[in-house]
Amino acid sequence: MLKLKDIIGLNIEISSRCGAGCPFCSRTKKVRHYGGHLITLEDFNKLPVSLLKGLEWITFGGNFGDMSSNHEMVDIAAYVRSLNPDVIIKGYTNGTLQDEVWWESLGTMFSTGEMVFCVDGLEDTHAIHRKGTDFNRIIRNMKAFTRTGGLAHWQFIVFKHNEHQIEEARQMAIQAGCSRFFIIFSREYNETCQKPETLDVQLKSDIYQSYQEKAIQNHEFARCKPLSNGSLYIAADGTVHPCCLAHCMYITEEFESFDFIIPCIEKYHKDINFKTTLLEEIISGSYFRETLKKSKTNAFCMMKCNTYKKEIKKKLIVKENLLK
């Protein structure tokens, strides 16, 4: 049975809202209604203090939203820091929401950890993929964040239309105070956002597939995240899951071989929301027990969570520069 003391990491979708319209985002693939949810500071206070004090890391990521669309993010990060000064705080953002003052305040909470700013090009190309975002505003917000000690990483998804701008973007990352600049391939490509021509594109799905086959050949079981690295995923609607993919599958149904998770979530949905049910009861309850058992031999779980995760993570990065 999973217990709170087993959890050292938390991936939390603090908001399901976003100011961008990226064409390959999970937001475009919903088959179930999933509206504009927020985890407020009042909600966050329902998480056990003992859990937050014992965390080694907390990531403000998510499947459908951008953490900067939650105006209470600064207060939530400050609350986490007050309970656990040494916790590593991470975040992912397109950086286009909120103003410089807000980002300066947030930067003080990220002196240990990282904020990944997803910036795919320069002023003339960035919004081709990150539709609805303002490049110049993002750079101002990034500089405000680093100005107060926040550790910023620039993630650059490479396409045909921006591959010639990689070095200029890297130089701009240095000027903005970033500590890391790295390039990844897109999960998909289309006629507008085409594959780069100067790089040998490896799709994420193909990389995972090759390691799934290796795991099957070696007769391995999947290593579900709560058991393998002691982490949980909390969606913006308050539901708690072993990983972000479980919740994403429930909303989008885009992973065919992960189909066992849908009836499982439907069966226990009313019992797995931390806003109304104690977190310890959720992770020791039927939903987690059933999911952890079935995940061991599920093909999708074996592809995403196997002993080769660290190798896969390295392969997903095309090029990396540590800037400091």
Side-chain angles (χ1 to χ4, degrees):
M1 183 174 67
L2 198 62
K3 296 182 179 180
L4 282 181
K5 65 180 181 61
D6 301 319
I7 306 304
I8 60 171
L10 191 63
N11 182 6
I12 185 164
E13 181 187 54
I14 210 77
S15 171
S16 66
R17 303 170 183 175
C18 185
C22 308
F24 310 123
C25 179
S26 296
R27 295 174 63 85
T28 67
K29 301 175 181 179
K30 298 176 187 175
V31 298
R32 283 182 176 78
H33 176 71
Y34 187 64
H37 300 283
L38 291 174
I39 291 178
T40 65
L41 180 59
E42 182 180 359
D43 294 329
F44 204 89
N45 281 325
K46 295 177 182 177
L47 292 173
V49 169
S50 62
L51 169 73
L52 297 176
K53 284 185 174 181
L55 291 179
E56 294 181 8
W57 57 267
I58 180 169
T59 298
F60 293 97
N63 292 322
F64 303 99
D66 192 289
M67 62 95 213
S68 66
S69 65
N70 187 330
H71 70 279
E72 290 190 301
M73 176 63 209
V74 175
D75 296 326
I76 290 170
Y79 173 63
V80 173
R81 274 272 176 250
S82 71
L83 294 175
N84 189 343
D86 298 323
V87 69
I88 296 172
I89 303 181
K90 303 178 184 179
Y92 290 83
T93 183
N94 59 51
T96 202
L97 299 176
Q98 308 298 343
D99 58 21
E100 291 175 64
V101 173
W102 190 89
W103 282 100
E104 284 181 338
S105 298
L106 189 64
T108 64
M109 308 298 163
F110 279 76
S111 58
T112 57
E114 64 191 51
M115 179 65 70
V116 178
F117 286 84
C118 304
V119 190
D120 306 329
L122 300 178
E123 184 176 4
D124 60 332
T125 59
H126 168 72
I128 295 174
H129 176 240
R130 301 279 171 183
K131 294 182 183 298
T133 64
D134 183 330
F135 176 81
N136 291 315
R137 184 172 184 175
I138 295 166
I139 298 302
R140 290 195 299 270
N141 288 341
M142 188 187 295
K143 288 179 177 178
F145 179 81
T146 61
R147 192 158 53 234
T148 54
L151 295 178
H153 295 180
W154 181 320
Q155 175 189 281
F156 186 111
I157 298 181
V158 62
F159 298 96
K160 179 180 178 181
H161 62 257
N162 65 14
E163 60 185 322
H164 63 291
Q165 298 176 324
I166 290 174
E167 179 54 29
E168 190 176 349
R170 191 183 73 84
Q171 291 298 324
M172 187 170 282
I174 295 173
Q175 295 167 11
C178 294
S179 59
R180 182 183 178 217
F181 175 84
F182 64 103
I183 303 162
I184 64 172
F185 292 127
S186 176
R187 67 174 70 171
E188 297 176 44
Y189 292 93
N190 62 19
E191 290 185 2
T192 302
C193 296
Q194 298 180 26
K195 292 181 181 179
E197 295 182 338
T198 60
L199 296 167
D200 182 19
V201 176
Q202 286 187 291
L203 293 178
K204 182 188 289 189
S205 57
D206 293 337
I207 293 172
Y208 273 107
Q209 184 69 41
S210 66
Y211 280 93
Q212 178 197 35
E213 293 168 0
K214 191 174 181 179
I216 292 173
Q217 289 173 0
N218 292 333
H219 305 288
E220 297 179 15
F221 290 111
R223 304 181 69 186
C224 198
K225 288 185 176 180
L227 297 178
S228 65
N229 69 1
S231 69
L232 297 175
Y233 178 78
I234 300 180
D237 63 358
T239 55
V240 183
H241 306 272
C243 67
C244 67
L245 293 165
H247 180 250
C248 189
M249 175 62 180
Y250 181 64
I251 302 299
T252 66
E253 296 190 17
E254 64 175 310
F255 314 120
E256 185 176 345
S257 60
F258 199 26
D259 57 348
F260 83 83
I261 200 69
I262 295 174
C264 197
I265 292 176
E266 288 181 334
K267 183 177 180 180
Y268 301 111
H269 198 269
K270 65 180 178 62
D271 302 318
I272 60 172
N273 194 308
F274 86 96
K275 298 179 183 182
T276 55
T277 303
L278 293 175
L279 183 63
E280 190 160 21
E281 292 181 9
I282 295 172
I283 65 174
S284 63
S286 299
Y287 169 56
F288 268 75
R289 287 201 303 272
E290 192 170 322
T291 300
L292 295 180
K293 181 179 179 181
K294 291 183 176 180
S295 68
K296 289 182 180 180
T297 55
N298 176 259
F300 181 82
C301 296
M302 289 178 69
M303 177 175 68
K304 288 291 184 177
C305 292
N306 53 52
T307 56
Y308 311 107
K309 283 193 293 185
K310 289 184 178 179
E311 290 181 43
I312 294 171
K313 190 174 181 179
K314 290 179 181 178
K315 286 201 170 187
L316 294 178
I317 297 175
V318 180
K319 187 175 181 181
E320 177 170 8
N321 290 100
L322 299 177
L323 305 179
K324 291 184 179 180

